[in-house]
Amino acid sequence: MIILDGKKVSNDIKVEISEHVKAIVSKGEKVPHLAAILVGSDGASMTYVNAKVKACELIGFKSTLIELPEYTTEDELLKKIHELNSNSDIDGFIVQLPLPKQIDEQKVLMAVDPKKDVDGFHPTNVGKMALDLPTFLPATPYGIIELLERYQIETSGKNVVVMGRSHIVGRPMSILMSQKRKAGDATVTVVHSRSKNLIEITKSADIIVAAIGISEFLTGDMVKDDVVIIDVGITRVPDATKKNGYRLAGDVHFESVSQKASYITPVPGGVGPMTIAMLLKNTLLARERHA
Ligand code: GUN
C-alpha cells in the first residue's frame, strides 16, 4: 500500500509556483494577488482561509483577507464582491463556503467576475469545464486530478466511483474523470444518499473518491483488493485523548480500507494540501490572463 502524499506533492507544486513568482519579480512585474472573503467565524472555515492566506505569503503572492461578521447581509457581501471585481490590483478571489443562512449562495457565486473566479464556481466556468474549454477548475477536484497524474495512476477505462454529488467536489470530479483528459477516460458512477445496492457498486470500483462528509463511512468490507482511495472528507470527531478534544477523520475508515488499498490518501495530509496548491495555481493563471 502506498500513501498518496498530498503534503509532499503540494509542496512540489508550491516550489514550481514560487519559481514563477521569482521570474515575475525579476522582470519587475506585479506579483499575483489573491483575496479571500470569510463571513462569520466558523472554526473549520477560519482554519481553511488562514491556510490559504499563509500559503500565499510562503510562495510570494500578495493576499488580502476580508473578514465580515456573521450578521452580514447579502447586499453588503455583494457590494464587497463588486469592489473586488473592479479592483485591478486583485487577480483572483474566493468567497469561503458555507455562508450564513441569510445569504443566497448562488447569488453570491454568480456575482463573482468569472475572470477572477479562482474557485471555478461561477456557472460560466462550470459550463466551460463541462465543455472541456480552458477555465479555472475547482481546486479540490483539480488537486485530485493532479495527485493521480503525479503518482501515474492509470484511470483510462477504470471503474471510478464518486461518492457524493456536491457542487464543489462530487459533481465536478465525476465530470472531469469521464472526460478525455489527463487522469480521465474513466467509467464513472456517482453514488449519493438515495443510491441503492451501495456495497455492490463500491466493490466494483477500481478507484473511489469519497466526498460525502460522513466520517469513516467507507469501510474495508465495502471495497475490493488493490482499490485506489481518494478521501476528501475531513471532520472533527470528539476524542478525549487529544488535547484539543477532537481528531480529524476522513470519509474513509483508514485502518480497515488501507489493508486492501493499493494507494490511499491520508487525512490530514492528502487532498487538503492539494486543494490549496491548486488554488494558488489558479491565481497564477488569473494573473497571467489578466496581464
Ligand atoms: N468550502 C469548502 N471547500 C471550499 C472551496 O474549495 N472553496 C471555497 N470558497 N469554500 C469552500
Side-chain angles (χ1 to χ4, degrees):
M1 185 267 296
I2 295 171
I3 296 277
L4 294 167
D5 190 344
K7 200 157 177 213
K8 185 198 168 292
V9 175
S10 71
N11 279 333
D12 293 346
I13 294 168
K14 284 188 212 162
V15 169
E16 291 162 19
I17 299 173
S18 62
E19 294 301 319
H20 271 266
V21 175
K22 279 185 203 141
I24 290 170
V25 171
S26 71
K27 282 190 269 176
E29 292 172 3
K30 182 184 134 0
V31 296
H33 185 176
L34 173 74
I37 303 179
L38 174 65
V39 187
S41 49
D42 174 72
S45 289
M46 281 167 78
T47 307
Y48 299 145
V49 170
N50 285 328
K52 290 170 186 179
V53 169
K54 198 169 141 220
C56 283
E57 281 165 21
L58 276 174
I59 58 157
F61 282 11
K62 204 171 153 189
S63 66
T64 300
L65 173 60
I66 298 153
E67 291 177 277
L68 301 175
E70 182 78 28
Y71 52 80
T72 301
T73 65
E74 191 176 278
D75 279 351
E76 284 165 343
L77 179 56
L78 290 172
K79 190 162 161 262
K80 201 33 108 183
I81 290 171
H82 293 136
E83 273 173 37
L84 295 178
N85 282 342
S86 53
N87 181 345
S88 61
D89 192 56
I90 296 203
D91 300 292
F93 67 97
I94 63 161
V95 182
Q96 187 66 26
L97 304 177
L99 290 167
K101 32 180 196 322
Q102 72 274 17
I103 299 175
D104 180 343
E105 186 178 296
Q106 273 309 322
K107 239 190 205 168
V108 166
L109 297 182
M110 283 179 69
V112 177
D113 180 345
K115 293 194 210 68
K116 296 193 176 188
D117 171 38
V118 284
D119 254 334
F121 292 166
H122 189 284
T124 297
N125 290 328
V126 178
K128 285 185 176 178
M129 175 197 65
L131 294 171
D132 307 282
L133 297 169
T135 185
F136 299 113
L137 297 181
T140 301
Y142 190 12
I144 295 169
I145 294 284
E146 197 71 23
L147 200 56
L148 291 168
E149 166 88 1
R150 292 198 184 213
Y151 275 90
Q152 298 180 334
I153 292 171
E154 183 61 78
T155 58
S156 177
K158 300 291 181 187
N159 286 335
V160 172
V161 172
V162 176
M163 303 178 73
R165 54 183 164 181
S166 72
H167 292 169
I168 297 182
V169 185
R171 181 75 45 79
M173 201 64 233
S174 64
I175 293 171
L176 291 169
M177 291 203 73
S178 68
Q179 285 175 333
K180 205 184 273 275
R181 59 157 26 254
K182 69 175 187 182
D185 287 318
T187 305
V188 180
T189 306
V190 180
V191 295
H192 46 76
S193 53
R194 301 297 170 101
S195 296
K196 297 204 189 334
N197 306 322
L198 186 62
I199 294 186
E200 209 173 282
I201 299 167
T202 55
K203 274 202 149 173
S204 74
D206 301 307
I207 301 170
I208 298 179
V209 179
I212 47 173
I214 305 173
S215 62
E216 297 172 338
F217 179 85
L218 188 77
T219 47
D221 56 323
M222 296 171 75
V223 303
K224 71 175 182 184
D225 282 333
D226 295 328
V227 65
V228 175
I229 299 288
I230 307 292
D231 189 352
V232 184
I234 183 153
T235 32
R236 292 177 179 186
V237 177
D239 185 339
T241 70
K242 301 277 179 203
K243 228 176 22 200
N244 52 14
Y246 67 86
R247 68 184 168 88
L248 293 174
D251 289 353
V252 175
H253 186 259
F254 189 88
E255 206 183 310
S256 58
V257 174
S258 62
Q259 286 177 24
K260 285 184 155 181
S262 53
Y263 294 87
I264 186 166
T265 60
V267 176
V271 173
M274 290 301 296
T275 297
I276 294 182
M278 303 326 276
L279 175 66
L280 299 173
K281 211 163 167 156
N282 277 344
T283 306
L284 180 63
L285 187 64
R287 169 73 192 87
E288 282 166 353
R289 287 191 185 153
H290 198 176

